Amino acid sequence: MIQVPGQRVHGEPHAVRRPELVEEFIGMLQELRLRAGNPPIKSFVTPLGTNRNAAAQILKGKRLPTHPQLAALLVKLDVPRSEHSDRLIGLWEQIHGLAPANPSSAPLARPDCADETVPTTYFDSTSDFYSSLEAGVVRARELVRVTYIRQSPPTRYANQAATSYFQRLVAWAAETQLPVNRVIGAPVGADGQPEDEFFDWLEEHQRHTRDFTTYESRVVPWSVGADAINMALIDDKIAFLTFSGMNAQILHGVRIESRRFVERLTEYFMQLWYSGVPLNTYLKKISPR
């Protein structure tokens, strides 16, 4: 579906209206899907981090993918680095005003490289952070991507706001039928086995969430003896980052509202996502306790 000049191109918020570029982009994307054996729409829901309807709109050319979604499409369609992939990425950048139609006329610095002022909120209270994060999840309208890479399971934390958030995250996916993608970093020892307490929580979490079709968890073995900087990415526009303190109950955080910033974090999130395995698969691989 080619957008009429003067209309907004669905997907990215600042897309340039270039019908001829959009038409070529959609045509190439559909050709790559056919070359990949025309996989069904439902198989794109998780890679794109969206629901079936939005995935169908992207694949049928009724809306454009975001930059992270384009990267996920190239992986899903098993497109190697080639002239085809470079051309597709180049078209996306031209449509969104990030690259000139004639590369030889490219300026040394792009206009979008200038610093932007973004709304930022810092949290020095664990309760304040998790209360704000839970409110952000409840207001989400498209999808939520989160990481949980810590040395202790969520059941260890005594803070009431934290407990409420962890419960609400799963409930939100079940109630709204919108996607939640969660990367869990399981702390492992030298033998590659997770700690007993964390393993017990993983089993319970699998039992609790296995019937929720829009809630998906993937596990990444985590051998570093420290928590990661964890993230929650909401609707591709809001990021919450958490920084652990010297013990399990201390946490600081920040909320940043910026599509450009979230886009960069999403690319990292997708690396973690694809390096992990589904929670049920991970549990089957672990030696019985």
Side-chain angles (χ1 to χ4, degrees):
M1 176 181 177
I2 304 305
Q3 306 297 322
V4 177
Q7 292 182 332
R8 171 172 292 185
V9 177
H10 295 292
E12 289 289 305
H14 302 300
V16 177
R17 273 66 74 183
R18 297 288 299 277
E20 71 284 1
L21 298 179
V22 173
E23 183 176 12
E24 183 180 354
F25 177 88
I26 292 170
M28 286 193 66
L29 190 58
Q30 293 176 342
E31 179 184 349
L32 290 171
R33 184 186 175 195
L34 289 174
R35 290 185 181 184
N38 200 23
I41 290 173
K42 65 180 181 180
S43 68
F44 289 88
V45 171
T46 296
L48 293 177
T50 188
N51 56 45
R52 185 186 178 93
N53 182 57
Q57 288 183 330
I58 291 172
L59 294 171
K60 293 177 181 179
K62 294 183 178 180
R63 67 184 294 178
L64 293 175
T66 63
H67 189 272
Q69 286 174 334
L70 175 58
L73 282 169
L74 293 175
V75 173
K76 170 65 179 175
L77 297 175
D78 196 23
V79 180
R81 180 66 185 270
S82 64
E83 291 184 8
H84 282 89
S85 61
D86 289 348
R87 178 58 179 162
L88 196 66
I89 294 170
L91 284 169
W92 188 94
E93 292 181 340
Q94 289 179 46
I95 291 167
H96 292 80
L98 302 179
N102 180 6
S104 64
S105 64
L108 293 177
R110 293 175 179 170
D112 68 328
C113 291
D115 291 340
E116 61 175 332
T117 301
V118 298
T120 303
T121 305
Y122 293 92
F123 300 92
D124 291 322
S125 161
T126 301
S127 294
D128 289 346
F129 175 82
Y130 277 114
S131 295
S132 180
L133 177 53
E134 180 177 348
V137 168
V138 171
R139 288 194 294 268
R141 293 295 177 265
E142 296 180 17
L143 77 158
V144 175
R145 297 183 175 102
V146 298
T147 64
Y148 187 87
I149 307 174
R150 304 194 69 177
Q151 297 300 294
S152 303
T155 49
R156 173 73 70 85
Y157 304 113
N159 186 277
Q160 185 174 355
T163 300
S164 177
Y165 157 72
F166 289 124
Q167 294 174 346
R168 188 60 183 157
L169 178 67
V170 176
W172 179 85
E175 293 167 4
T176 64
Q177 291 297 293
L178 292 172
V180 170
N181 294 340
R182 191 178 197 179
V183 172
I184 300 173
V188 297
D191 59 356
Q193 298 291 308
E195 303 293 332
D196 289 345
E197 183 182 9
F198 209 98
F199 179 81
D200 291 342
W201 173 74
L202 287 174
E203 285 194 313
E204 175 58 31
H205 193 59
Q206 167 65 7
R207 286 192 291 268
H208 179 56
T209 62
R210 62 188 172 192
D211 294 327
F212 299 158
T213 56
T214 61
Y215 180 92
E216 297 186 63
S217 297
R218 295 177 74 92
V219 179
V220 177
W222 190 254
S223 59
V224 179
D227 296 348
I229 296 175
N230 284 285
M231 69 182 81
L233 310 178
I234 298 175
D235 289 346
D236 286 332
K237 63 181 180 181
I238 298 173
F240 286 83
L241 301 179
T242 59
F243 309 90
S244 301
M246 293 304 294
N247 65 58
Q249 306 301 326
I250 298 176
L251 179 144
H252 302 286
V254 61
R255 177 189 185 276
I256 299 175
E257 187 169 347
S258 165
R259 286 188 179 273
R260 288 182 64 197
F261 184 72
V262 173
E263 184 177 284
R264 273 62 171 178
L265 286 176
T266 300
E267 292 178 355
Y268 176 62
F269 177 92
M270 298 309 294
Q271 289 186 52
L272 292 172
W273 180 260
Y274 286 115
S275 70
V277 296
L279 175 55
N280 62 327
T281 302
Y282 179 78
L283 291 173
K284 291 176 183 177
K285 292 169 58 178
I286 298 301
S287 303
R289 298 285 167 154

